[in-house]
Amino acid sequence: MKPEILFLKYAFPCSFVLKQRGEISQETLDMLENAAINSMPLGREILEKIYFRAIARMKALAKELHKDYFSEDLIREYFTKRHNELLDGMCNGIKDKGLDIDKNAPPALKHLCKVFSSKIIKKGEDYYVVHYDYGGQNKKTRVVSRSLLPDAEIGDFVAIHYGYAVEKV
Amino acid sequence: MCLAIPGRIVKIKSNVAIVDYKTEQREGRIVEGHCKKGDYVIVQGGLVIEKIPKKQAEDWLKAFQK
């Protein structure tokens, strides 16, 4: 998969929040949704402008790991690991302006923002119901849209971000 | 990080929740679990994906209004 497509699939679920915060317009949100659903690669300069927070953190991570910041490998490393660690406040040594307003954020919302590996237990017309581990013995259930990953089956493991299945893992 | 802002269910028609976000209203289908009027939820892709505990949702909304 082209890194531009993979990045957008992981980042797109956050776009609703950017719209709620007034950072992007409804037209931009629709354009991003269309590109994410149809796996259309957008220009990197557009992605870097809209998702500047993620890009800045990916660049920092790439520097640590001596990797290209816009490779499939690094995009997965960022969204499935670093992004969650930042939300858990585990990266105290890292300067991160974007986190300033989020320190007091409710746990339920931080939780939705994380990326989890989950198992599909039910398939609906346009959604999956998934199960995922959440601390020790706790299993959580979530409804996620099939729009970014329409062809997964019951029993498959998929990465989820907010209300979307992102890719098979 | 891009933490979502929850909306409040103002009406439920069969399995469709009308969710109020102050600036707009959005519809979300309830396909799993139970929701009732007054619950705070996150809607994405036309689906109610998760309920947010009331206290957490209200505190967060207050923080945003400041």
Side-chain angles (χ1 to χ4, degrees):
Chain A
M1 199 185 297
K2 280 195 172 185
E4 284 83 357
I5 297 172
L6 184 69
F7 175 82
L8 185 60
K9 284 189 190 271
Y10 271 107
F12 172 71
C14 292
S15 312
F16 291 87
V17 183
L18 301 178
K19 164 76 177 24
Q20 283 181 322
R21 288 182 175 180
E23 291 184 17
I24 60 170
S25 65
Q26 184 63 48
E27 291 76 51
T28 304
L29 181 62
D30 293 344
M31 181 274 287
L32 293 168
E33 183 173 28
N34 183 45
I37 289 174
N38 296 303
S39 298
M40 282 159 38
L42 291 176
R44 211 182 287 182
E45 60 288 0
I46 299 175
L47 297 173
E48 297 209 2
K49 192 173 164 215
I50 295 173
Y51 303 107
F52 64 91
R53 296 178 182 88
I55 296 285
R57 296 185 189 116
M58 276 163 51
K59 282 183 175 167
L61 181 61
K63 217 172 166 185
E64 282 173 39
L65 302 176
H66 306 289
K67 284 184 180 170
D68 173 11
Y69 82 94
F70 216 87
S71 59
E72 278 187 55
D73 200 22
L74 194 102
I75 291 166
R76 288 197 180 94
E77 179 77 21
Y78 171 71
F79 278 103
T80 63
K81 295 194 187 127
R82 174 59 57 90
H83 179 260
N84 291 2
E85 290 167 2
L86 286 166
L87 280 161
D88 284 334
M90 280 161 59
C91 298
N92 292 331
I94 296 170
K95 277 187 194 164
D96 195 317
K97 265 200 142 181
L99 286 177
D100 291 352
I101 60 157
D102 300 321
K103 271 182 207 146
N104 304 315
L109 291 167
K110 281 190 185 176
H111 181 79
L112 277 171
C113 190
K114 287 185 195 171
V115 173
F116 293 96
S117 171
S118 69
K119 188 180 182 181
I120 298 176
I121 55 158
K122 189 173 159 188
K123 193 172 170 175
E125 194 189 333
D126 60 350
Y127 65 89
Y128 303 115
V129 179
V130 299
H131 262 177
Y132 58 99
D133 289 330
Y134 177 52
Q137 299 292 306
N138 294 331
K139 282 250 186 247
K140 284 200 69 143
T141 303
R142 192 182 300 174
V143 175
V144 292
S145 168
R146 276 177 60 184
S147 63
L148 302 186
L149 180 71
D151 57 357
E153 300 297 336
I154 291 171
D156 282 349
F157 284 87
V158 294
I160 56 166
H161 190 195
Y162 275 111
Y164 289 86
V166 175
E167 64 167 346
K168 285 189 198 177
V169 290
Chain B
M1 294 292 170
C2 298
L3 294 166
I5 303 165
R8 197 169 57 88
I9 296 180
V10 289
K11 202 173 172 184
I12 299 179
K13 282 188 291 189
S14 63
N15 70 333
V16 178
I18 312 291
V19 181
D20 184 54
Y21 284 93
K22 305 260 185 219
T23 51
E24 60 177 332
Q25 289 199 340
R26 231 184 276 162
E27 288 188 0
R29 275 158 50 233
I30 302 163
V31 295
E32 192 77 13
H34 295 281
C35 291
K36 57 180 192 306
K37 199 175 148 183
D39 282 349
Y40 285 92
V41 293
I42 300 290
V43 174
Q44 273 196 330
L47 299 161
V48 172
I49 62 161
E50 197 130 312
K51 245 196 273 191
I52 304 296
K54 194 175 177 201
K55 173 98 174 61
Q56 291 187 33
E58 287 179 344
D59 287 351
W60 188 232
L61 288 171
K62 252 184 247 163
F64 257 92
Q65 277 157 5
K66 271 178 200 162

